[in-house]
Amino acid sequence: MTIKLPKNQKIVFEAASPTEEKTFEQLSEETKLKLEHISGASFALEAQGLISITTLSDSKSSLTDEGSHYLQHSLPELRLYQAVRLMGELETAFNLSQAIDQSSLNKNEVSVALSNYARKDYGTINQGKIISSRDFDPKSDPEQVALTAIDQGTELDQSIVTRLESRGLINTNQLTTRSVILTKKGISERKKGVKISESVTNLTPQMLSQGNWEGIEYTTYNVEAEAAPYIGGRVHILRDTAERVKDTLVSMGFQEMEGPHADSEFWINDCLFMPQDHPARTHWDQFALSVPPAQNLPPEIVEKVQSSHLDGIGTYGDGYHSPWSEDVALGIDLRGHTTSLSMRYLSGQAIGHLEPPQRFFSVEKVYRNDTLDPTHLLEFFQIEGWVMAENLSVRDLMGTFTEFYRRFGITNLKFKPHYNPYTEPSFELFGEHPRTGELIEIGNSGLFRDEVLRPLGVNCDVMAWGLALERLLMLMYGFEDIRDVHGTLCDLNLLRSTEVPY
Ligand code: PHE
């Protein structure tokens, strides 16, 4: 019996050779079918045992413009080294700017030279002086040698390839070539001839209304067939994960809070029993805005917050006795945490008086005047949350975190006692980085003090937290630098290829 194949499969089957491997590209050229059709048909034929597919992966590196330039003129750090060597003996300190002049490096090359000179142990650069402490032939420098090798297409060690890539001197492309050849079964089937099967790929409304859908033969989909990568716009993983966090908290019975990004210090700090001379309130930490002060603060709450600061709450509370001024409380800052929203909701000012039990959350931007580094940006997303109920304990808090993070596959949380002016007890949360194994701080939490709750009119317990969304992402996806997902240095590959599973 002759076999029946859908049209594209028939074409590829007939173009495949019994003796010679043909690449997908060759087949595409011969048959005028698009590459993705060749690929789809080939995988389907392979699944039927008619052809076999061989996959070869190869990577090819080529010099960037900068790399080619250094191939000709030699690496900047080597030119600096040579200039220093010409100035005199090893282990002698020479004037750095003089050495730079002699090396005739341009401005860009100078910074490249300086950052690689010490890394490669050529010597030291310190306080305007440069020393060379190694005697070697600049032509033998491994990175210089590698540039030549790459130019000539010679294979190299992966470590040096990675180094040159990170210096932007080479680009590496991954090449996958697939080729097909007929199998024994394919050869004998082809001898018997091939017919086009009448199978259809799409079910149409007509087939349904005419009722002939039952007798039709359908093409099977091969969902494992390789397809060309599709690079289109997509939701950023941070935004996607934020949505997942919101859904998770809603499923745990929480409601979402909303509120201003720029808010009065009253809601951001004073309600939180942060003394007005607290270091976190100096404008090094918080961004103050030069806009008119807040109006409409609720006078009864302002008065109680002030007395909580000055004299404390309850028999043992003593307050701070430090100066408290309403003018400070009225100043507008970008919020350094979303705990300002929790204060607005707990006080009844956001959506009216709340009776326990209650659960609220937000996943929103906060702004801090931090120093940029791999784990800090000037803004991040905070996962704020609180539970209001009678008789809460630290156990309730730990249990809530354990359950929340478990839903993201994170099960090895660590808790560490901590201090916040507004919670007692307080603790920080840590999680283990999946790649480095390092413990990284992922949040801060505690039970609000009476000094916070009573002025707001809350008479039961409230446990609360602020977690960093970006740190949750680090634990989930294993990247190490927050700048991989934010800003101009972001890792496009990571953003394109990371799935946010639900
Ligand atoms: N505001 C704290 C922070 O930004 C988080 C927190 C909120 C801690 C509520 C305890 C209670 O780090």
mmCIF file of all heavy atoms in Angstrom, residues 91-120:
data_model
loop_
_atom_site.group_PDB
_atom_site.id
_atom_site.type_symbol
_atom_site.label_atom_id
_atom_site.label_comp_id
_atom_site.label_asym_id
_atom_site.label_seq_id
_atom_site.Cartn_x
_atom_site.Cartn_y
_atom_site.Cartn_z
ATOM 1 N N GLU A 91 59.079 47.536 39.029
ATOM 2 C CA GLU A 91 58.872 47.880 40.444
ATOM 3 C C GLU A 91 59.237 49.332 40.753
ATOM 4 O O GLU A 91 59.575 49.663 41.886
ATOM 5 C CB GLU A 91 59.679 46.959 41.395
ATOM 6 C CG GLU A 91 59.387 45.474 41.267
ATOM 7 C CD GLU A 91 57.958 45.088 41.624
ATOM 8 O OE1 GLU A 91 57.188 45.934 42.098
ATOM 9 O OE2 GLU A 91 57.621 43.914 41.386
ATOM 10 N N THR A 92 59.177 50.189 39.750
ATOM 11 C CA THR A 92 59.448 51.596 40.006
ATOM 12 C C THR A 92 58.178 52.393 39.719
ATOM 13 O O THR A 92 57.516 52.143 38.712
ATOM 14 C CB THR A 92 60.563 52.115 39.077
ATOM 15 O OG1 THR A 92 61.588 51.137 39.062
ATOM 16 C CG2 THR A 92 61.096 53.450 39.528
ATOM 17 N N ALA A 93 57.865 53.325 40.628
ATOM 18 C CA ALA A 93 56.640 54.105 40.435
ATOM 19 C C ALA A 93 56.885 55.256 39.472
ATOM 20 O O ALA A 93 57.817 56.043 39.668
ATOM 21 C CB ALA A 93 56.170 54.634 41.782
ATOM 22 N N PHE A 94 56.079 55.317 38.411
ATOM 23 C CA PHE A 94 56.161 56.427 37.453
ATOM 24 C C PHE A 94 54.864 57.219 37.483
ATOM 25 O O PHE A 94 53.830 56.713 37.918
ATOM 26 C CB PHE A 94 56.423 55.899 36.042
ATOM 27 C CG PHE A 94 57.719 55.174 35.915
ATOM 28 C CD1 PHE A 94 57.745 53.793 35.823
ATOM 29 C CD2 PHE A 94 58.935 55.882 35.917
ATOM 30 C CE1 PHE A 94 58.947 53.110 35.729
ATOM 31 C CE2 PHE A 94 60.127 55.199 35.815
ATOM 32 C CZ PHE A 94 60.145 53.814 35.729
ATOM 33 N N ASN A 95 54.959 58.444 36.980
ATOM 34 C CA ASN A 95 53.792 59.297 36.924
ATOM 35 C C ASN A 95 52.758 58.728 35.940
ATOM 36 O O ASN A 95 53.061 58.483 34.777
ATOM 37 C CB ASN A 95 54.266 60.681 36.468
ATOM 38 C CG ASN A 95 53.141 61.675 36.499
ATOM 39 O OD1 ASN A 95 52.160 61.501 35.802
ATOM 40 N ND2 ASN A 95 53.303 62.695 37.315
ATOM 41 N N LEU A 96 51.537 58.523 36.441
ATOM 42 C CA LEU A 96 50.510 57.861 35.620
ATOM 43 C C LEU A 96 50.138 58.685 34.391
ATOM 44 O O LEU A 96 50.055 58.163 33.279
ATOM 45 C CB LEU A 96 49.260 57.561 36.468
ATOM 46 C CG LEU A 96 48.069 56.937 35.724
ATOM 47 C CD1 LEU A 96 48.426 55.601 35.096
ATOM 48 C CD2 LEU A 96 46.872 56.751 36.660
ATOM 49 N N SER A 97 49.942 60.017 34.571
ATOM 50 C CA SER A 97 49.485 60.777 33.397
ATOM 51 C C SER A 97 50.557 60.830 32.329
ATOM 52 O O SER A 97 50.263 60.836 31.133
ATOM 53 C CB SER A 97 48.999 62.185 33.759
ATOM 54 O OG SER A 97 49.561 62.624 34.924
ATOM 55 N N GLN A 98 51.819 60.816 32.776
ATOM 56 C CA GLN A 98 52.906 60.785 31.797
ATOM 57 C C GLN A 98 52.879 59.470 31.004
ATOM 58 O O GLN A 98 53.011 59.470 29.783
ATOM 59 C CB GLN A 98 54.222 60.883 32.552
ATOM 60 C CG GLN A 98 55.246 61.750 31.870
ATOM 61 C CD GLN A 98 56.461 61.886 32.787
ATOM 62 O OE1 GLN A 98 56.331 62.033 34.013
ATOM 63 N NE2 GLN A 98 57.641 61.829 32.213
ATOM 64 N N ALA A 99 52.657 58.377 31.731
ATOM 65 C CA ALA A 99 52.601 57.066 31.075
ATOM 66 C C ALA A 99 51.447 57.028 30.074
ATOM 67 O O ALA A 99 51.572 56.498 28.966
ATOM 68 C CB ALA A 99 52.433 55.966 32.109
ATOM 69 N N ILE A 100 50.325 57.639 30.464
ATOM 70 C CA ILE A 100 49.170 57.657 29.561
ATOM 71 C C ILE A 100 49.504 58.460 28.305
ATOM 72 O O ILE A 100 49.214 58.029 27.185
ATOM 73 C CB ILE A 100 47.936 58.233 30.290
ATOM 74 C CG1 ILE A 100 47.454 57.220 31.342
ATOM 75 C CG2 ILE A 100 46.815 58.557 29.302
ATOM 76 C CD1 ILE A 100 46.346 57.712 32.234
ATOM 77 N N ASP A 101 50.155 59.614 28.499
ATOM 78 C CA ASP A 101 50.557 60.424 27.335
ATOM 79 C C ASP A 101 51.422 59.625 26.378
ATOM 80 O O ASP A 101 51.219 59.632 25.169
ATOM 81 C CB ASP A 101 51.362 61.658 27.784
ATOM 82 C CG ASP A 101 50.427 62.730 28.319
ATOM 83 O OD1 ASP A 101 49.208 62.611 28.082
ATOM 84 O OD2 ASP A 101 50.920 63.669 28.973
ATOM 85 N N GLN A 102 52.407 58.939 26.952
ATOM 86 C CA GLN A 102 53.347 58.186 26.121
ATOM 87 C C GLN A 102 52.667 57.031 25.383
ATOM 88 O O GLN A 102 53.127 56.608 24.341
ATOM 89 C CB GLN A 102 54.433 57.570 27.010
ATOM 90 C CG GLN A 102 55.102 58.549 27.931
ATOM 91 C CD GLN A 102 56.521 58.819 27.508
ATOM 92 O OE1 GLN A 102 57.136 57.978 26.877
ATOM 93 N NE2 GLN A 102 57.032 59.988 27.832
ATOM 94 N N SER A 103 51.598 56.522 25.985
ATOM 95 C CA SER A 103 50.955 55.347 25.377
ATOM 96 C C SER A 103 50.065 55.758 24.204
ATOM 97 O O SER A 103 49.601 54.894 23.470
ATOM 98 C CB SER A 103 50.107 54.634 26.420
ATOM 99 O OG SER A 103 49.028 55.468 26.785
ATOM 100 N N SER A 104 49.818 57.054 24.051
ATOM 101 C CA SER A 104 48.923 57.620 23.040
ATOM 102 C C SER A 104 47.589 56.861 22.915
ATOM 103 O O SER A 104 47.116 56.576 21.825
ATOM 104 C CB SER A 104 49.616 57.768 21.676
ATOM 105 O OG SER A 104 49.972 56.514 21.166
ATOM 106 N N LEU A 105 47.033 56.565 24.077
ATOM 107 C CA LEU A 105 45.699 55.951 24.101
ATOM 108 C C LEU A 105 44.660 57.067 24.055
ATOM 109 O O LEU A 105 44.899 58.147 24.606
ATOM 110 C CB LEU A 105 45.507 55.169 25.409
ATOM 111 C CG LEU A 105 46.381 53.931 25.600
ATOM 112 C CD1 LEU A 105 46.326 53.479 27.053
ATOM 113 C CD2 LEU A 105 45.910 52.808 24.684
ATOM 114 N N ASN A 106 43.520 56.810 23.430
ATOM 115 C CA ASN A 106 42.465 57.825 23.503
ATOM 116 C C ASN A 106 41.691 57.662 24.815
ATOM 117 O O ASN A 106 41.930 56.727 25.572
ATOM 118 C CB ASN A 106 41.570 57.799 22.258
ATOM 119 C CG ASN A 106 40.710 56.546 22.196
ATOM 120 O OD1 ASN A 106 40.351 55.966 23.228
ATOM 121 N ND2 ASN A 106 40.384 56.117 20.990
ATOM 122 N N LYS A 107 40.751 58.571 25.043
ATOM 123 C CA LYS A 107 40.075 58.642 26.342
ATOM 124 C C LYS A 107 39.410 57.311 26.740
ATOM 125 O O LYS A 107 39.568 56.833 27.853
ATOM 126 C CB LYS A 107 39.012 59.737 26.273
ATOM 127 C CG LYS A 107 38.934 60.576 27.519
ATOM 128 C CD LYS A 107 38.070 61.773 27.246
ATOM 129 C CE LYS A 107 37.522 62.355 28.519
ATOM 130 N NZ LYS A 107 36.317 63.133 28.274
ATOM 131 N N ASN A 108 38.682 56.738 25.773
ATOM 132 C CA ASN A 108 38.017 55.465 26.033
ATOM 133 C C ASN A 108 39.010 54.372 26.363
ATOM 134 O O ASN A 108 38.818 53.583 27.283
ATOM 135 C CB ASN A 108 37.256 55.007 24.788
ATOM 136 C CG ASN A 108 35.837 55.482 24.842
ATOM 137 O OD1 ASN A 108 35.336 55.804 25.926
ATOM 138 N ND2 ASN A 108 35.208 55.553 23.683
ATOM 139 N N GLU A 109 40.070 54.345 25.560
ATOM 140 C CA GLU A 109 41.061 53.295 25.743
ATOM 141 C C GLU A 109 41.752 53.420 27.096
ATOM 142 O O GLU A 109 42.120 52.419 27.701
ATOM 143 C CB GLU A 109 42.097 53.360 24.610
ATOM 144 C CG GLU A 109 41.499 52.976 23.269
ATOM 145 C CD GLU A 109 42.451 53.222 22.100
ATOM 146 O OE1 GLU A 109 43.301 54.143 22.205
ATOM 147 O OE2 GLU A 109 42.346 52.512 21.092
ATOM 148 N N VAL A 110 41.895 54.664 27.585
ATOM 149 C CA VAL A 110 42.537 54.843 28.892
ATOM 150 C C VAL A 110 41.741 54.128 29.969
ATOM 151 O O VAL A 110 42.293 53.373 30.772
ATOM 152 C CB VAL A 110 42.687 56.349 29.240
ATOM 153 C CG1 VAL A 110 43.095 56.517 30.684
ATOM 154 C CG2 VAL A 110 43.695 56.999 28.313
ATOM 155 N N SER A 111 40.411 54.294 29.938
ATOM 156 C CA SER A 111 39.665 53.634 31.008
ATOM 157 C C SER A 111 39.690 52.120 30.846
ATOM 158 O O SER A 111 39.720 51.391 31.836
ATOM 159 C CB SER A 111 38.248 54.193 31.128
ATOM 160 O OG SER A 111 37.557 53.977 29.941
ATOM 161 N N VAL A 112 39.703 51.641 29.615
ATOM 162 C CA VAL A 112 39.837 50.189 29.401
ATOM 163 C C VAL A 112 41.186 49.723 29.949
ATOM 164 O O VAL A 112 41.281 48.715 30.663
ATOM 165 C CB VAL A 112 39.746 49.838 27.888
ATOM 166 C CG1 VAL A 112 39.986 48.351 27.665
ATOM 167 C CG2 VAL A 112 38.398 50.251 27.318
ATOM 168 N N ALA A 113 42.227 50.481 29.644
ATOM 169 C CA ALA A 113 43.574 50.107 30.076
ATOM 170 C C ALA A 113 43.667 50.071 31.597
ATOM 171 O O ALA A 113 44.163 49.109 32.185
ATOM 172 C CB ALA A 113 44.588 51.095 29.505
ATOM 173 N N LEU A 114 43.127 51.117 32.242
ATOM 174 C CA LEU A 114 43.241 51.192 33.700
ATOM 175 C C LEU A 114 42.508 50.044 34.374
ATOM 176 O O LEU A 114 42.999 49.456 35.332
ATOM 177 C CB LEU A 114 42.692 52.530 34.208
ATOM 178 C CG LEU A 114 43.476 53.769 33.768
ATOM 179 C CD1 LEU A 114 42.851 55.026 34.350
ATOM 180 C CD2 LEU A 114 44.939 53.658 34.183
ATOM 181 N N SER A 115 41.316 49.697 33.844
ATOM 182 C CA SER A 115 40.568 48.657 34.555
ATOM 183 C C SER A 115 41.147 47.269 34.316
ATOM 184 O O SER A 115 40.875 46.356 35.077
ATOM 185 C CB SER A 115 39.078 48.724 34.206
ATOM 186 O OG SER A 115 38.907 48.536 32.833
ATOM 187 N N ASN A 116 41.940 47.095 33.277
ATOM 188 C CA ASN A 116 42.486 45.752 33.040
ATOM 189 C C ASN A 116 43.923 45.571 33.530
ATOM 190 O O ASN A 116 44.379 44.446 33.705
ATOM 191 C CB ASN A 116 42.403 45.412 31.550
ATOM 192 C CG ASN A 116 40.975 45.118 31.126
ATOM 193 O OD1 ASN A 116 40.417 44.088 31.499
ATOM 194 N ND2 ASN A 116 40.367 46.029 30.397
ATOM 195 N N TYR A 117 44.613 46.669 33.729
ATOM 196 C CA TYR A 117 46.031 46.630 34.092
ATOM 197 C C TYR A 117 46.258 45.845 35.392
ATOM 198 O O TYR A 117 47.036 44.882 35.434
ATOM 199 C CB TYR A 117 46.536 48.062 34.241
ATOM 200 C CG TYR A 117 48.033 48.188 34.369
ATOM 201 C CD1 TYR A 117 48.830 48.288 33.234
ATOM 202 C CD2 TYR A 117 48.648 48.237 35.618
ATOM 203 C CE1 TYR A 117 50.206 48.422 33.338
ATOM 204 C CE2 TYR A 117 50.019 48.363 35.735
ATOM 205 C CZ TYR A 117 50.802 48.467 34.594
ATOM 206 O OH TYR A 117 52.148 48.584 34.697
ATOM 207 N N ALA A 118 45.499 46.219 36.414
ATOM 208 C CA ALA A 118 45.689 45.553 37.705
ATOM 209 C C ALA A 118 45.054 44.158 37.707
ATOM 210 O O ALA A 118 45.612 43.223 38.268
ATOM 211 C CB ALA A 118 45.101 46.404 38.821
ATOM 212 N N ARG A 119 43.888 44.053 37.031
ATOM 213 C CA ARG A 119 43.222 42.745 36.966
ATOM 214 C C ARG A 119 44.164 41.686 36.404
ATOM 215 O O ARG A 119 44.204 40.551 36.871
ATOM 216 C CB ARG A 119 41.980 42.834 36.067
ATOM 217 C CG ARG A 119 41.345 41.471 35.768
ATOM 218 C CD ARG A 119 40.121 41.561 34.894
ATOM 219 N NE ARG A 119 40.371 41.901 33.510
ATOM 220 C CZ ARG A 119 40.750 41.037 32.571
ATOM 221 N NH1 ARG A 119 40.967 39.771 32.868
ATOM 222 N NH2 ARG A 119 40.951 41.440 31.319
ATOM 223 N N LYS A 120 44.966 42.103 35.412
ATOM 224 C CA LYS A 120 45.843 41.120 34.786
ATOM 225 C C LYS A 120 47.216 41.061 35.447
ATOM 226 O O LYS A 120 48.133 40.470 34.892
ATOM 227 C CB LYS A 120 45.969 41.458 33.294
ATOM 228 C CG LYS A 120 44.654 41.207 32.551
ATOM 229 C CD LYS A 120 44.666 41.826 31.174
ATOM 230 C CE LYS A 120 44.831 40.809 30.092
ATOM 231 N NZ LYS A 120 44.785 41.453 28.747
#
